[in-house]
Amino acid sequence: MAMKEFKAESKKLMDMMINSIYTNKEIFLRELISNASDAIDKLYYTSLTDTSVGLNKDDFRILLTLDKENRLLTLSDNGIGMSREDLEENLGTIAHSGSLNFKKENQDENIDIIGQFGVGFYSSFMVADEVTVISRAYGSSEAWKWSSHGVDGYTIEPADKDDVGTDIYLHIKPNTETDNYDQFVEEYSLVAIVKKYSDYVRYPINMFRQKSRMKAKPEDAGEDYTPEYESYTELETLNSMVPIWKKAKSEVTEEEYAEFYKSKFYDYTDPARVIVSRTEGSANYNALLFVPARQPYDYYTKEYEKGLALYASGVLIMEKCADLLPDHFGFMKGIVDSQDLSLNISREMLQQDHQLKRIRTALEKKIKNELLAMLRTDREKYEGFWNAFGRQLKFGAYSEYGMHAELLRDLLLFYSAKQQKLVTLEEYVEAMPAEQKCIYFAAGENTDRLAKLPAAQLVLDKGYDLLLLTEDVDEFCLQVMNSYPRKDAEGKDGTVEFKNVNSGDLGLESDEEKKAAEEATAENQSLFDAMKLALGDAVAAIKVSTRLKDHPVCLSAEGPLSIEMEKVLASQPGAEGVKSRKVLELNAAHPVFEALKAAQSAGDEEKLASYSRILLAQAQLIEGLPVDDPVAYAQAVCSLMK
Ligand code: ADP
């Protein structure tokens, strides 16, 4: 019988697994039991519509058998089984190719990646030097035997098996100097491992246990009778079978939740928060949800699939039901179990299901409140969560024309220039002086540079705080929200608008200041006309500024599209041509302004044009915009030095 090779990638992974210094080898049992339980789920599900399965719910079980002398541990299930093709396909390759790359990248960290990418079965090679799988698939009369010693490959041949299901035989390795494998042929430690990791598995995990009992006292026993003992075996169910999500929160320890989360959802860090939720109003369900503490490596890619596992009365219907989670909470993991859903419900029907919609609405509210609670009571943890998923929440607030902005706005954090830390909008508004009219923000790439913008300084000098936005979605998010609630001086409900410091009217100037600037603009109209002629379409208008103190020049934007938004759109296909309406603002009190006027009155058009272009380029540089013609700009500045 020919030996078949594993696919290259599987081989590497298996090699790592066998030689790993991984200390937590005991999880191989969790992995095999979880596979067995999945296989039973599949057959049980089939049995609901197909009477030929011939099994009732109570007939399903997983059986552990220990032959200590021969160091043989067997795990049997009466689940759906595997055909020859299944065995080759499932046990000869690795389902998710991301796992190997992931392991390579994280080689130094001794993290629990095993079992997190569908490499579960391979973990048996951590403890066994020979693994044999005998399986008979449901609907087939033949059985197959798959066998392997590890990396070299595997063999596959016909076998005999009376019932549908899978038996996995593990020949446990001998002890080494560093590793104790004997524990895996020790009854009590196997029992402990099952309890620790697989207690909630819904099918009984049975094992014949060695017990001892006192023999009955013979009737003719005399005074000096000493009791005799005999050993016997008894089939015991090791797990409590109550799914963890059906238990009250007080019955489950934090470690148990964390352990469950990590093994079920392929994470190696504890969750940031556990949410247990039951029947709310019209929807009947148990939900156990987790806020992950870290971002999955594929989170912001197309590969990431959101969704919660959906069970109907304890039976898995769907591993990832996307309809249960709005996109803005797409990072949530967890399980929903409802007795209101029909077991035979199809995926298409699910989308229409009213019960499911009610559950979704209730969960959305619950998740929001839990996140808010985390924000208020455990800020550090929340900020960790925010680092991982804040971008998602901001996109959520922005998407669908701000439909979810009200729900999400209090979960958002932005960087405060004054406090040098992340603040909520509520915190910003509460700290606002009574006379402050807007929530100010500046948008760009780098907080230090933003805080130095002339307009930013103006706001800060007033004693007002300023939000420094550095992510592309930030300004779009605020624009869509438009305003935030604030009570006025009399305690009446009102709102306060968001204001980009680079927008035309900052609401900082007094009416006199504004009027003075307008008059100065009118007085210098012929100068500005001449400059505009030189600059062409690069600017929409030129005017005297109210906001400049030390700088000679800056750019502001009129209308809804800011300069920063233009930059974001420029990087998006299809939106490259979208431009903001830019206004060149000049400081009339600056010596440079005198130089401009002098050039004009001397009738030196060329000089005026050159000065105008230099000033525009400077304003563009300050804004972080590309200069139209950098070489011409450099030459123009040099010629000033001559
Ligand atoms: P995962 O379970 O994460 O997909 P595994 O390597 O543990 O990855 O298993 C690969 C596949 O082999 C499973 O998805 C399943 O289809 C099949 N399988 C494993 N164990 C069993 C079993 N006991 N009964 C039936 N199928 C199984």
Side-chain angles (χ1 to χ4, degrees):
M1 182 185 22
M3 169 95 74
K4 300 202 177 188
E5 290 214 6
F6 288 106
K7 300 238 166 92
E9 199 182 55
S10 310
K11 217 164 155 172
K12 276 187 226 153
L13 193 70
M14 199 175 334
D15 195 36
M16 278 193 268
M17 201 83 80
I18 294 168
N19 299 313
S20 84
I21 44 143
Y22 193 64
T23 47
N24 210 13
K25 294 189 188 322
E26 64 189 22
I27 58 101
F28 80 94
L29 197 53
R30 169 188 86 190
E31 295 303 312
L32 295 184
I33 288 176
S34 146
N35 282 350
S37 165
D38 290 349
I40 294 176
D41 269 344
K42 287 178 195 158
L43 190 56
Y44 174 55
Y45 192 71
T46 311
S47 76
L48 297 173
T49 49
D50 182 349
T51 50
S52 70
V53 172
L55 292 170
N56 292 315
K57 181 152 189 32
D58 297 338
D59 299 329
F60 291 104
R61 50 102 194 109
I62 296 163
L63 181 66
L64 278 180
T65 317
L66 182 61
D67 173 356
K68 193 170 170 175
E69 252 151 72
N70 295 310
R71 295 184 81 80
L72 201 62
L73 175 64
T74 313
L75 197 108
S76 311
D77 68 67
N78 50 354
I80 193 105
M82 284 177 275
S83 65
R84 182 193 175 133
E85 293 71 38
D86 292 339
L87 283 167
E88 298 238 12
E89 181 61 30
N90 296 334
L91 308 185
T93 53
I94 289 168
H96 307 270
S97 56
S99 53
L100 189 66
N101 293 337
F102 184 83
K103 180 73 189 167
K104 271 195 204 133
E105 283 164 20
N106 296 278
Q107 223 152 23
D108 304 336
E109 291 172 61
N110 186 20
I111 47 175
D112 184 7
I113 76 130
I114 296 164
Q116 293 177 12
F117 292 94
V119 293
F121 172 76
Y122 288 83
S123 63
S124 47
F125 287 98
M126 290 196 301
V127 300
D129 46 27
E130 181 176 5
V131 179
T132 302
V133 181
I134 297 182
S135 194
R136 191 176 134 191
Y138 171 67
S140 166
S141 57
E142 46 184 39
W144 290 91
K145 174 173 157 184
W146 178 103
S147 192
S148 170
H149 289 268
V151 266
D152 292 340
Y154 60 91
T155 57
I156 196 156
E157 60 188 300
D160 287 323
K161 192 175 185 318
D162 292 336
D163 311 308
V164 168
T166 304
D167 300 332
I168 298 179
Y169 299 84
L170 306 174
H171 185 264
I172 303 296
K173 294 179 185 175
N175 270 359
T176 65
E177 265 175 36
T178 48
D179 288 304
N180 167 18
Y181 294 105
D182 283 357
Q183 54 175 317
F184 305 122
V185 288
E186 223 38 273
E187 197 183 288
Y188 68 90
S189 58
L190 290 170
V191 172
I193 297 171
V194 171
K195 276 230 153 285
K196 182 169 172 191
Y197 296 105
S198 312
D199 193 51
Y200 56 84
V201 168
R202 283 184 314 284
Y203 305 101
I205 303 168
N206 293 335
M207 185 168 173
F208 280 102
R209 299 199 65 183
Q210 291 288 339
K211 307 228 162 149
S212 121
R213 64 187 160 205
M214 207 192 290
K215 279 187 176 173
K217 190 177 169 186
E219 295 207 345
D220 56 355
E223 283 288 299
D224 56 351
Y225 171 77
T226 40
E228 281 182 46
Y229 291 85
E230 63 181 354
S231 65
Y232 68 104
T233 55
E234 190 175 75
L235 191 66
E236 220 180 72
T237 297
L238 309 182
N239 54 329
S240 74
M241 288 190 284
V242 181
I244 192 167
W245 58 91
K246 286 232 167 133
K247 293 185 185 170
K249 204 170 182 180
S250 56
E251 281 175 48
V252 185
T253 64
E254 248 178 67
E255 290 74 45
E256 284 171 323
Y257 277 133
E259 198 49 61
F260 173 77
Y261 165 75
K262 288 190 282 191
S263 67
K264 176 97 188 166
F265 299 107
Y266 307 143
D267 197 350
Y268 55 80
T269 33
D270 288 354
R273 196 175 182 90
V274 178
I275 303 175
V276 179
S277 170
R278 281 159 194 280
T279 307
E280 284 202 11
S282 55
N284 281 309
Y285 67 89
N286 287 289
L288 173 59
L289 308 182
F290 300 92
V291 182
R294 54 174 277 282
Q295 192 183 301
Y297 70 102
D298 62 350
Y299 187 64
Y300 289 109
T301 71
K302 279 202 226 71
E303 277 70 49
Y304 182 83
E305 264 182 84
K306 66 161 185 172
L308 300 175
L310 179 63
Y311 288 77
S313 306
V315 181
L316 180 69
I317 304 254
M318 217 174 162
E319 202 64 64
K320 273 190 184 166
C321 179
D323 295 317
L324 277 171
L325 274 184
D327 281 344
H328 45 265
F329 293 147
F331 47 81
M332 293 295 295
K333 301 276 180 203
I335 280 166
V336 174
D337 192 344
S338 170
Q339 54 270 50
D340 295 346
L341 295 170
S342 146
L343 279 177
N344 302 321
I345 195 161
S346 72
R347 280 167 197 228
E348 296 70 43
M349 271 155 65
L350 264 181
Q351 284 179 348
Q352 310 297 326
D353 194 85
H354 288 296
Q355 207 54 34
L356 202 77
K357 284 196 181 127
R358 276 189 216 118
I359 298 176
R360 174 192 160 114
T361 311
L363 287 180
E364 182 180 42
K365 209 170 87 195
K366 178 79 182 167
I367 295 167
K368 184 222 161 145
N369 289 338
E370 291 278 339
L371 290 176
L372 213 52
M374 179 155 89
L375 168 67
R376 291 189 176 141
T377 58
D378 196 347
R379 183 68 166 237
E380 205 181 315
K381 206 168 227 175
Y382 188 83
E383 288 190 13
F385 154 77
W386 178 259
N387 279 335
F389 302 110
R391 192 175 164 76
Q392 174 74 71
L393 293 183
K394 289 186 283 193
F395 266 114
Y398 161 66
S399 68
E400 296 180 71
Y401 307 102
M403 218 172 103
H404 315 288
E406 202 175 317
L407 177 91
L408 299 175
R409 66 186 174 202
D410 286 322
L411 297 174
L412 306 181
L413 296 180
F414 296 101
Y415 191 78
S416 146
K418 209 165 144 184
Q419 303 184 49
Q420 304 264 308
K421 60 172 192 177
L422 292 167
V423 296
T424 63
L425 294 172
E426 191 181 14
E427 286 160 356
Y428 181 101
V429 167
E430 267 169 19
M432 274 169 72
E435 81 282 359
Q436 186 182 335
K437 293 195 211 83
C438 312
I439 298 176
Y440 293 104
F441 67 87
E445 265 138 48
N446 166 312
T447 51
D448 288 342
R449 260 176 63 182
L450 283 175
K452 284 186 195 132
L453 284 176
Q457 282 302 324
L458 203 68
V459 171
L460 290 170
D461 286 350
K462 275 262 182 193
Y464 300 164
D465 199 356
L466 175 70
L467 300 174
L468 303 178
L469 313 183
T470 51
E471 270 197 304
D472 50 8
V473 61
D474 290 347
E475 191 174 2
F476 291 88
C477 169
L478 294 191
Q479 281 254 355
V480 157
M481 290 198 279
N482 185 45
S483 64
Y484 186 83
R486 180 204 200 187
K487 292 213 188 301
D488 67 13
E490 281 101 56
K492 278 213 216 91
D493 288 338
T495 57
V496 49
E497 283 186 14
F498 297 106
K499 181 75 93 188
N500 188 327
V501 292
N502 281 344
S503 61
D505 180 9
L506 271 188
L508 286 176
E509 311 82 0
S510 63
D511 288 344
E512 292 90 75
E513 283 172 323
K514 265 193 240 171
K515 206 162 148 238
E518 272 163 30
E519 280 168 13
T521 302
E523 270 169 35
N524 292 291
Q525 200 52 56
S526 69
L527 171 67
F528 295 160
D529 287 345
M531 290 176 75
K532 175 89 177 69
L533 206 63
L535 297 178
D537 287 340
V539 293
I542 302 175
K543 67 178 192 184
V544 171
S545 179
T546 53
R547 73 177 87 200
L548 288 169
K549 285 202 302 202
D550 308 324
H551 279 272
V553 66
C554 73
L555 273 178
S556 65
E558 281 177 350
L561 200 67
S562 76
I563 295 170
E564 195 52 36
M565 290 163 98
E566 172 189 318
K567 280 190 239 166
V568 174
L569 291 174
S571 63
Q572 285 173 10
E576 300 94 337
V578 183
K579 293 262 184 262
S580 56
R581 238 181 92 80
K582 297 186 199 66
V583 178
L584 189 68
E585 296 195 17
L586 294 167
N587 182 350
H590 199 280
V592 157
F593 196 72
E594 293 307 318
L596 285 169
K597 287 216 293 211
Q600 192 202 17
S601 41
D604 192 342
E605 274 172 36
E606 209 172 294
K607 195 183 220 175
L608 183 62
S610 168
Y611 283 3
S612 301
R613 284 193 290 268
I614 290 173
L615 287 173
L616 173 65
Q618 285 186 354
Q620 286 168 330
L621 283 173
I622 291 172
E623 272 313 311
L625 283 172
V627 173
D628 298 332
D629 187 347
V631 175
Y633 170 66
Q635 281 168 354
V637 171
C638 285
S639 71
L640 292 179
M641 295 175 164
K642 282 189 215 146

